């Protein structure tokens, strides 16, 4: 301001009075333009946590015999983010062109490209992406339906989307309904007939569908809204490829309804749409499960994910004249860690440079490191060599076992600096399942069954010697009670973390002192690293057991693993399967596998997997540390010992599965039987009761 105005007359320095008038006009114009833009929320006051709703609409909610116009007017209860409405709005049937939006304060007039069709039920769905000016989203999608004929469609179809590990509801999934014939298509149609979203407990509901029509209903984490299950996007296939919409039929709790009115869009009214408020959608997972089963509730849509994208070799990073790092687009692990499977060439001379060792440094999941002979500071090319046999394992794979994308080669200029990396010991750890074992105190490694002590280095400790020789040179172990040295060998998958394999294995309760002699590292310090490791005694271990009950619907019909290339089940097959008698578990039917997980924390890989008895469905896990556990059971239709999430197009159902609802605790010297019976049922709810 001091620069803009002078102290004498308040005018801009170096400007006339006319210039000041121009500034005033510009300021007024800016205020006018701001008033036409998207409104902004007022500052101050209590925090707004109330989502917007429809105050009134024209046509009114569930109005019939609506004139064949082309506009819908909606007044919201508060100012909303206008761009979010464009993203959130879906119209069924599709308007066949672009909608236009004309805003007036809290009201919007939506104009269709053509006049409404005769005798047609229109459904406007506003999903949870709609926000008010403070960013508060809808808790449930809003639906507004009206008909240009004398009646309005009343078909309803509902379900629940859950996670695959524990069966917990998944919020925010887009749910799309297509014509049932889409289940047999190689690709889903360009756009669904209907769209909605899951609520906080994973429940969803379609309303105002055509009665007795059959739909193919899928769920996607469709972040880019292209109606496709893109690579790495989570999806869930339906329990059946064709689900009927019936008048008043609901297989899950109904979401809250929109509040709309038949009067003028800006006038208050108390008329409420027919779909009244429901519960939180949790019946399928908690106390109401028995009631849901009796009412014929559908099995949940179980979320899976596929990773068909191979890792890419994005570059080679020269570290020294004898060391090179290969960088990948995602985390990788070794499958065939052999130096002969990597070709390194000096492009200036055309000569090959021998690769001595491959390893993966701790904490560098997206890199593989090469130790080579001396490289000149010239251009080089590195290439991963495929195996001689057609089915030979690749050098490395990603976490989904995808081999790197070809061609797997990169060029670089070698570094001139000498290699000075010294061998360093990083610590003692343990490998195997991450059991929630209690500590034995004193800083000792407590080893549950199937766990082994490990030693970790910053690079391979072996030169050209064998792992056995390295074990004798660097690592040793003694029984703490007898002082006797124990024979062992080292095994490694990545070249830096080595499992200590004892021969014979450690006995229950046996305690050993592990020793790493740093003097052999040729370091300037004289250090010996030691750590106690103790195998849990038998009296500290317990077991848990239970039973799996497989319903008839889970076994009806075709094989679980069939796909389109070998006779995929069609809609007609599914309809026939509904009435097929259930065979027993005997006679070559898919085995029931039961997986064990810790009750607390994020579920990763199962701790153990066992097979339930064919006749009784009973299972047991023994030799477990004292802790709480959960189970997941599934029919292993393809025999790969992993749950299959199915496929969207063409439809292939997911392998039926069930989860324990309550954790069960393993107690020392006891076998604890869970009160849950895991019920695997193809068409009905599969949460145990």
């Amino acid at each position: 301001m001091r620069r803009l105005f002078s102290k004498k007359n308040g005018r801009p320095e170096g400007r006339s009075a006319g210039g000041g008038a121009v500034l005033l006009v510009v300021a007024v114009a800016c205020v006018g333009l701001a008033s036409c833009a998207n409104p902004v929320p007022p500052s101050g006051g209590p925090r707004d946590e109330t989502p917007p709703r429809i105050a009134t609409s024209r046509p009114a909610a569930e109005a019939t015999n609506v004139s064949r116009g082309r506009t819908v007017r909606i007044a919201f209860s508060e100012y909303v983010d206008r761009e979010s409405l464009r993203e959130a709005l879906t119209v069924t049937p599709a308007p066949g062109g672009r909608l236009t939006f004309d805003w007036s304060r809290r009201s919007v007039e939506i104009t269709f490209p053509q006049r409404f069709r005769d005798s047609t039920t229109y459904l406007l769905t506003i999903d949870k992406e709609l926000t008010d000016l403070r960013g508060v989203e809808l808790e449930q999608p809003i639906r507004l339906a009206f008909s240009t004929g004398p009646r309005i469609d009343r078909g309803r179809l509902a379900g629940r989307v859950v996670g695959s590990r524990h069966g917990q509801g998944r919020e925010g999934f887009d749910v799309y309904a297509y014509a049932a014939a889409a289940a047999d298509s190689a690709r889903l149609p360009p756009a669904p007939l209907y769209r909605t979203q899951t609520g906080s407990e994973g429940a969803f509901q379609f309303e105002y569908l055509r009665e007795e029509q059959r739909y193919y209903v899928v769920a996607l984490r469709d972040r880019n809204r292209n109606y496709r299950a893109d690579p790495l996007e989570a999806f869930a296939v339906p329990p059946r490829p064709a689900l009927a919409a019936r008048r008043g039929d609901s297989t899950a709790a109904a979401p809250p309804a929109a509040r709309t009115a038949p009067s003028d869009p800006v006038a208050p009214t108390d008329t409420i749409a027919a779909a009244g408020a429901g519960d939180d959608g949790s019946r399928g997972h908690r106390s109401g499960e028995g009631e849901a089963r009796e009412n014929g509730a559908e099995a949940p849509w179980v979320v899976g994910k596929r990773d068909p994208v191979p890792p890419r070799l994005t570059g080679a990073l020269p570290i020294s004249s004898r060391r090179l790092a290969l960088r990948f687009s995602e985390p990788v692990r070794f499958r065939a860690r052999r130096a002969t499977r990597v070709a390194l060439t000096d492009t200036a001379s055309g000569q090959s440079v021998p690769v001595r060792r491959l390893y993966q440094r701790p904490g560098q999941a997206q890199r593989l490191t090469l130790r080579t002979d001396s490289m000149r500071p010239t251009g080089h090319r590195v290439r991963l060599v495929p195996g001689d046999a057609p089915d030979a394992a690749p050098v490395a794979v990603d976490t989904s076992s995808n081999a790197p994308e070809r061609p797997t080669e990169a060029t670089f200029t070698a570094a001139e600096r000498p290699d000075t990396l010294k061998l360093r010991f990083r610590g003692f750890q343990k490998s195997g399942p991450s059991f929630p074992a209690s500590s034995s105190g004193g800083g000792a490694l407590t080893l549950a069954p199937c766990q082994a002590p490990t030693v970790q280095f910053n690079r391979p400790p072996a030169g050209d010697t064998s792992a056995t020789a390295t074990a004798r040179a660097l690592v040793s172990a003694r029984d703490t009670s007898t002082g006797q040295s124990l024979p062992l060998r080292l095994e490694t998958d990545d070249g830096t973390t080595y499992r200590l394999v004892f021969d014979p294995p450690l006995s229950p309760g046996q305690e050993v002192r592990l020793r790493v002699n740093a003097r052999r590292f040729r370091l300037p310090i004289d250090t010996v690293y030691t750590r106690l490791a103790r195998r849990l005694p038998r009296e500290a271990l317990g077991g848990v057991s239970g039973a799996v009950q497989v319903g008839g619907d889970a076994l009806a019909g075709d094989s679980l693993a069939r796909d389109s290339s070998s006779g995929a089940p069609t809609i007609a097959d599914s309809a026939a399967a509904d009435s097929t008698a259930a065979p027993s578990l005997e006679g070559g039917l898919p085995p029931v596998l039961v997986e064990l997980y810790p009750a607390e924390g994020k579920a990763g890989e199962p701790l153990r997997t066992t097979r339930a008895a064919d006749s009784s469905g009973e299972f047991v896990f023994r030799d477990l540390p004292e802790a709480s556990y959960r189970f997941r059971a599934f029919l292993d239709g393809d025999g790969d010992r992993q749950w299959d999430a199915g496929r969207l197009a063409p439809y292939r159902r997911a392998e039926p599965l069930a989860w324990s609802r309550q954790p069960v605790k393993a107690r020392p010297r006891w076998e604890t039987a869970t009160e849950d019976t895991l019920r695997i049922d193809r068409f009905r709810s599969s949460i145990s009761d």
Side-chain angles (χ1 to χ4, degrees):
M1 296 297 288
R2 292 175 181 173
R3 294 180 180 179
L4 187 61
F5 291 95
S6 66
K7 293 183 179 180
K8 292 183 178 181
N9 52 19
R11 297 173 183 170
E13 295 179 358
R15 295 179 183 267
S16 65
V22 171
L23 288 175
L24 180 60
V25 171
V26 172
V28 172
C30 290
V31 173
L33 289 174
S35 65
C36 298
N38 204 16
V40 295
S43 59
R47 181 178 179 181
D48 177 18
E49 297 182 352
T50 303
R53 60 180 177 83
I54 294 180
T56 57
S57 69
R58 189 170 60 197
E62 301 198 349
T64 56
N65 294 315
V66 173
S67 62
R68 294 187 58 194
R70 53 185 298 200
T71 62
V72 175
R73 188 173 180 85
I74 298 175
F76 291 97
S77 59
E78 57 181 310
Y79 287 103
V80 299
D81 181 271
R82 297 175 179 179
E83 288 302 317
S84 71
L85 178 64
R86 293 178 181 269
E87 296 293 328
L89 178 64
T90 301
V91 178
T92 304
R98 188 172 184 178
L99 301 173
T100 59
F101 299 80
D102 185 13
W103 287 91
S104 176
R105 299 177 64 82
R106 293 180 299 177
S107 300
V108 61
E109 186 172 85
I110 305 170
T111 302
F112 285 54
Q114 297 95 20
R115 292 172 60 86
F116 300 143
R117 305 175 190 174
D118 189 25
S119 299
T120 301
T121 296
Y122 280 85
L123 175 63
L124 280 69
T125 301
I126 303 174
D127 66 30
K128 294 166 60 177
E129 288 198 2
L130 178 71
T131 65
D132 64 15
L133 297 184
R134 294 186 184 274
V136 179
E137 297 181 345
L138 297 179
E139 296 177 354
Q140 297 285 349
I142 296 174
R143 303 177 185 90
L144 172 64
F146 62 89
S147 175
T148 56
R151 61 182 297 275
I152 194 166
D153 294 332
R154 296 289 185 185
R156 300 173 71 185
L157 196 157
R160 191 161 177 267
V161 177
V162 302
S164 62
R165 287 303 191 203
H166 294 318
Q168 296 175 329
R170 300 293 293 273
E171 182 181 7
F173 268 71
D174 290 290
V175 186
Y176 301 138
Y178 302 87
D184 293 328
S185 303
R187 290 176 61 87
L188 292 176
L193 300 175
Y194 299 90
R195 175 180 123 192
T196 189
Q197 286 180 311
T198 59
S200 59
E201 292 292 330
F204 67 86
Q205 180 167 271
F206 292 100
E207 296 182 278
Y208 307 108
L209 308 181
R210 292 202 172 199
E211 295 94 332
E212 304 307 325
Q213 292 292 313
R214 296 168 72 85
Y215 296 93
Y216 182 48
V217 180
V218 304
L220 298 177
R221 183 71 79 181
D222 195 11
R223 302 188 186 279
N224 58 2
R225 290 297 174 85
N226 65 347
Y227 310 117
R228 295 284 183 272
D230 294 325
L232 304 181
E233 280 188 345
F235 67 92
V237 302
R240 288 184 288 177
L243 300 171
R246 297 185 176 89
R247 186 180 182 89
D249 181 34
S250 177
T251 59
R259 183 181 178 89
T260 60
S263 57
D264 184 83
V266 295
T269 181
D270 293 329
T271 304
I272 301 178
D279 59 25
D280 63 357
S282 62
R283 290 172 50 200
H285 189 62
R286 296 180 181 171
S287 60
E289 174 57 28
E291 179 184 353
R293 190 186 310 279
E294 293 174 3
N295 291 339
E298 290 292 346
W301 279 241
V302 184
V303 173
K305 184 185 292 186
R306 296 193 185 281
D307 178 14
V309 180
R312 290 180 296 104
L313 178 61
T314 60
L317 176 65
I319 300 173
S320 71
S321 60
R322 292 177 178 267
R323 206 171 301 274
L324 172 70
L326 304 182
R327 296 180 296 187
F328 290 84
S329 58
E330 58 180 301
V332 294
R333 56 185 173 85
F334 281 112
R335 175 64 65 85
R337 195 177 63 87
R338 294 192 291 272
T340 55
R341 298 287 294 276
V342 180
L344 180 61
T345 305
D346 185 329
T347 56
S349 64
Q351 295 182 343
S352 297
V353 179
V355 177
R356 298 301 180 185
R357 288 188 295 278
L358 305 179
Y359 63 96
Q360 191 167 40
R361 299 187 64 181
Q364 295 185 352
Q366 291 185 228
R367 290 186 180 185
L368 303 180
T369 304
L370 281 60
R371 181 72 164 82
T372 72
D373 280 2
S374 181
M375 295 179 286
R376 299 189 307 160
T378 59
H380 286 71
R381 181 176 66 250
V382 62
R383 180 171 62 93
L384 300 185
V385 180
D388 296 332
D391 58 348
V395 175
V397 294
D398 65 9
T399 55
S400 298
S401 298
N402 295 314
E405 183 180 58
R406 295 187 180 184
T408 48
E409 63 179 34
T411 58
F412 66 97
T413 300
E416 190 173 4
R417 56 183 173 274
D419 188 65
T420 59
L421 182 66
K422 300 295 185 180
L423 179 65
R424 297 187 183 279
F425 177 61
R426 295 179 62 93
F428 297 95
Q429 299 176 0
K430 55 185 176 181
S431 66
S434 299
F435 286 105
S438 58
S439 173
S440 63
L445 289 173
T446 304
L447 304 175
C450 303
Q451 289 182 326
T454 65
V455 291
Q456 190 177 78
F457 303 92
N458 65 326
R459 64 173 178 82
D464 294 328
T465 58
S466 66
T468 302
T470 303
R472 288 196 298 266
L474 296 178
V475 184
S476 61
R478 290 185 179 275
D479 187 295
T480 57
S481 61
T482 65
Q484 182 181 0
S485 178
L486 302 177
L488 58 84
R489 67 180 187 275
L490 297 186
E491 294 181 352
T492 182
D493 296 322
D494 58 13
T496 54
T497 301
Y498 289 77
R499 294 182 298 276
L500 277 62
V501 182
F502 293 89
D503 187 18
L506 298 179
S507 303
Q510 185 175 7
E511 186 179 74
V512 298
R513 183 177 297 278
L514 308 177
R515 183 173 182 267
V516 175
N517 189 354
R519 298 168 185 168
R520 298 185 179 273
F521 297 169
R522 299 178 181 177
L523 298 179
I525 56 175
D526 186 10
T527 303
V528 175
Y529 301 94
T530 63
R531 183 78 180 270
L532 291 176
R534 179 174 178 262
R535 178 72 67 192
L536 283 173
R538 295 189 187 278
E539 56 269 20
L541 302 174
V544 293
S545 61
V548 182
Q549 184 180 78
V550 181
D553 288 337
L555 301 174
D558 50 274
S559 168
L560 298 175
R562 279 168 47 186
D563 58 22
S564 60
S565 63
S566 59
T570 64
I571 297 171
D573 295 332
S574 179
D578 288 345
S579 58
T580 303
S584 66
L585 279 175
E586 301 174 352
L589 291 169
V592 178
L593 297 187
V594 185
E595 297 171 331
L596 182 74
Y597 292 91
E600 303 295 335
K602 185 177 180 180
E605 294 299 315
L607 301 174
R608 289 185 189 170
T609 302
T610 190
R611 177 171 175 168
D614 289 346
S615 56
S616 64
E618 295 179 351
F619 62 88
V620 60
F621 293 95
R622 296 186 175 91
D623 296 331
L624 299 178
E626 182 177 9
S628 293
Y629 301 92
R630 289 184 180 271
F631 310 114
R632 185 179 79 163
F634 64 95
L635 288 179
D636 188 21
D638 54 11
D640 65 350
R641 297 184 63 84
Q642 294 183 343
W643 176 71
D644 184 1
R647 187 171 55 199
L648 293 179
Y651 172 79
R652 186 180 73 226
R653 58 175 169 165
E655 290 176 338
L657 77 172
W659 307 266
S660 60
R661 185 173 58 183
Q662 300 295 334
V664 58
K665 187 170 184 178
R667 302 180 185 278
R669 295 175 294 181
W670 289 91
E671 182 181 299
T672 307
T674 177
E675 296 180 358
D676 284 345
T677 297
L678 281 72
R679 303 182 187 276
I680 298 180
D681 213 355
R682 176 187 174 191
F683 296 149
R684 296 184 174 84
S685 181
S686 59
I687 308 292
S688 65
D689 55 15

